[in-house]
Amino acid sequence: MPESQRRVTILGSTGSIGCQTIDVIERLNKQGHTFSVVGLSAGKNINLLSQQIDRLHPSAVCIKERSKVPTLYKRFPHLRILTGEEGLKKVCRMDGVDLVVNALVGAVGLGSTLESLRLGRTVALANKESLVIGGELVSELLTKYKGKILPIDSEHNALMQCLWAGKLAEVVRVIITASGGPFLHTPAKELVHVRPEQALGHPTWSMGKRISIDSATMVNKGFEVIEAHYLFSLPYEKIDVIIHPGSAIHSFVEYCDGSILAELAAPDMRIPIQYALVYPARVETGLPRLDLEKIGRIELEVLSREQFPAFVTVLSAGQIGGTAPAAINAADEVLVDRFLKEEIPFTALAEGLETILSRHIDRTVDTKQKTDFSAILATDKWAREEARDLFL
Ligand code: NAD
Ligand code: MG
């Protein structure tokens, strides 16, 4: 199948990455490519989903709640409408799908990634939680069924491009860049007063709410280290993070001969999304390009572990492995939600994660044991309940 004629299913089509994926597809089709969207899935935003159905004519859609089906059915009586997590899997299984774009947020994305890989499909993966909580399962399925993951996360998309230049054995380390978020140099004592709207205001990227908060705490960067570990089979010792506030460089790969390769592009997620869609080709994006003359300076600095304690906790969970990352992810989903509802202060995010990780370590006899899907689900449920009760 030529890369320009792919049939795509988009999970999380009403979110930040989902909408940008549709924008890329519509731009590509205007240039003469023929991408078709066969399946869409959304959480609650029926109005936006309906507009997308009108524009893209999918054969099936999935919505989170069954209660929304009658509204959708009234408008689209001939459309196949699915619901819930089983529905998500069904849209991944649809006949003729060449590429599943997983742009769901949170642990709910794992089932769809696993289902697609079981069919040997290619997944353009934005849902980093699939690798954070289910990295071992994903790796097993990739080996067994010969599917493929094309990372949409900009840092990993950059790494994938830089890793083409050599062999994995020649890589000394990869260096993931981090903008530092809105509180890079905010004094620690002021962080307790941070309000949701300040934490949501990312300096360089416009994203969904959860990843914006995760970028402010640097939980997101910890997740990205785990993501890189599984995606590229790299030991944790070979994955570093560096602060780069300008977000022009999306990551580096350092090779054994001392050469360091970097990928640079404008901070626009549609660039890595498009690369995943047309991979391995490269086509004109029609988007604003990075203007090197305008950038002037490229600033880099060491990530302060004191400033970002949650980053350290997530990294520890990754190194412990097993179900520890699932515990941290679930706790983070709950804590971010509670912070956005102003139930807990910003600093409680890092404190809460540390507490949940130490409780997780206490309750698991052998944290290195093999991680199956039911163990991940059980841990996810346990950590959500714990996180709901923290600080009460
Ligand atoms: P978002 O919150 O904007 O969108 C999430 C989508 O998932 C929405 O369509 C929502 O309706 C759907 N959804 C959420 N819960 C659901 C459920 N239970 N069942 C069915 N659908 C559900 O999130 P986003 O910012 O687009 O991020 C999506 C993923 O991409 C995340 O894993 C994030 O870490 C990753 N990512 C995002 C960006 C970015 O710029 N936004 C960059 C890199 C990686
Ligand atoms: Mg990223």
Side-chain angles (χ1 to χ4, degrees):
M1 173 64 53
E3 55 273 357
S4 59
Q5 291 179 14
R6 289 187 172 142
R7 284 161 301 192
V8 184
T9 272
I10 307 170
L11 311 178
S13 67
T14 53
S16 164
I17 295 290
C19 288
Q20 292 182 84
T21 302
I22 291 173
D23 181 80
V24 169
I25 287 176
E26 291 182 329
R27 280 165 179 275
L28 287 168
N29 285 350
K30 268 190 205 141
Q31 289 173 36
H33 301 273
T34 50
F35 279 82
S36 56
V37 174
V38 292
L40 288 175
S41 100
K44 297 180 188 146
N45 193 341
I46 295 296
N47 284 339
L48 182 53
L49 179 65
S50 299
Q51 290 169 28
Q52 294 176 342
I53 296 168
D54 278 333
R55 273 162 41 204
L56 300 162
H57 313 293
S59 321
V61 299
C62 174
I63 47 171
K64 189 176 165 188
E65 287 154 27
R66 198 172 284 273
S67 61
K68 299 268 167 61
V69 173
T71 319
L72 211 53
Y73 182 70
K74 224 187 243 168
R75 236 182 118 174
F76 304 101
H78 303 298
L79 185 65
R80 187 173 171 214
I81 304 170
L82 305 156
T83 57
E85 292 189 34
E86 202 38 55
L88 283 173
K89 287 188 195 159
K90 284 186 186 153
V91 280
C92 296
R93 285 203 293 263
M94 282 168 70
D95 284 344
V97 171
D98 301 305
L99 186 71
V100 175
V101 178
N102 188 343
L104 295 164
V105 63
V108 69
L110 175 61
S112 307
T113 298
L114 297 179
E115 190 68 15
S116 306
L117 294 180
R118 253 182 232 117
L119 296 170
R121 294 215 151 134
T122 301
V123 180
L125 189 67
N127 178 261
K128 63 188 79 185
E129 294 87 348
S130 289
L131 285 163
V132 170
I133 70 173
E136 290 177 27
L137 299 181
V138 167
S139 306
E140 275 171 28
L141 293 186
L142 280 169
T143 312
K144 195 165 170 189
Y145 298 105
K146 310 282 177 233
K148 195 185 278 179
I149 290 188
L150 299 170
I152 283 180
D153 212 349
S154 55
E155 295 79 0
H156 305 75
N157 195 279
L159 289 175
M160 175 173 75
Q161 298 184 52
C162 296
L163 284 166
W164 274 8
K167 299 192 184 87
L168 202 56
E170 296 161 351
V171 173
V172 174
R173 61 174 181 153
V174 300
I175 308 148
I176 297 172
T177 53
S179 72
F183 310 125
L184 179 56
H185 298 299
T186 306
K189 62 179 184 333
E190 288 177 23
L191 289 177
V192 74
H193 305 299
V194 159
R195 298 184 53 81
E197 56 273 22
Q198 292 170 286
L200 286 170
H202 196 277
T204 45
W205 296 98
S206 162
M207 310 178 282
K209 282 187 180 172
R210 192 218 174 180
I211 186 174
S212 297
I213 303 301
D214 283 349
S215 299
T217 56
M218 216 62 105
V219 161
N220 180 53
K221 216 40 67 174
F223 283 171
E224 291 185 352
V225 171
I226 303 176
E227 190 183 358
H229 167 75
Y230 287 112
L231 213 40
F232 305 115
S233 305
L234 286 163
Y236 283 109
E237 312 81 78
K238 287 192 172 184
I239 310 170
D240 284 333
V241 173
I242 197 163
I243 299 283
H244 167 45
S247 300
I249 304 172
H250 301 306
S251 280
F252 302 92
V253 175
E254 182 174 338
Y255 285 97
C256 54
D257 61 356
S259 297
I260 300 178
L261 270 68
E263 188 263 350
L264 289 81
D268 186 328
M269 285 306 296
R270 290 173 296 179
I271 297 171
I273 290 170
Q274 175 174 298
Y275 189 53
L277 288 177
V278 301
Y279 175 93
R282 288 185 187 273
V283 302
E284 168 65 50
T285 64
L287 298 167
R289 307 172 86 87
L290 186 67
D291 188 338
L292 285 175
E293 284 79 5
K294 269 200 189 139
I295 292 177
R297 289 165 63 89
I298 289 202
E299 289 175 80
L300 299 169
E301 61 182 274
V302 174
L303 184 155
S304 157
R305 292 176 180 236
E306 288 73 41
Q307 184 78 0
F308 298 108
F311 170 76
V312 181
T313 305
V314 175
L315 227 51
S316 306
Q319 274 155 348
I320 291 167
T323 50
I328 285 296
N329 174 69
D332 186 65
E333 287 191 35
V334 172
L335 293 172
V336 166
D337 191 48
R338 291 183 61 195
F339 167 68
L340 290 172
K341 289 180 181 147
E342 303 195 58
E343 284 175 23
I344 56 170
F346 182 76
T347 44
L349 295 167
E351 284 167 31
L353 292 183
E354 203 183 329
T355 306
I356 298 293
L357 183 60
S358 81
R359 287 184 192 172
H360 175 79
I361 292 169
D362 288 345
R363 74 190 266 276
T364 43
V365 186
D366 175 10
T367 47
K368 284 275 181 207
Q369 71 198 20
K370 207 165 160 35
T371 317
D372 59 24
F373 192 60
S374 61
I376 293 171
L377 287 188
T379 302
D380 178 280
K381 185 167 178 285
W382 168 82
R384 276 173 209 273
E385 282 162 11
E386 293 284 313
R388 270 185 213 114
D389 291 342
L390 281 180
F391 312 109
L392 289 178

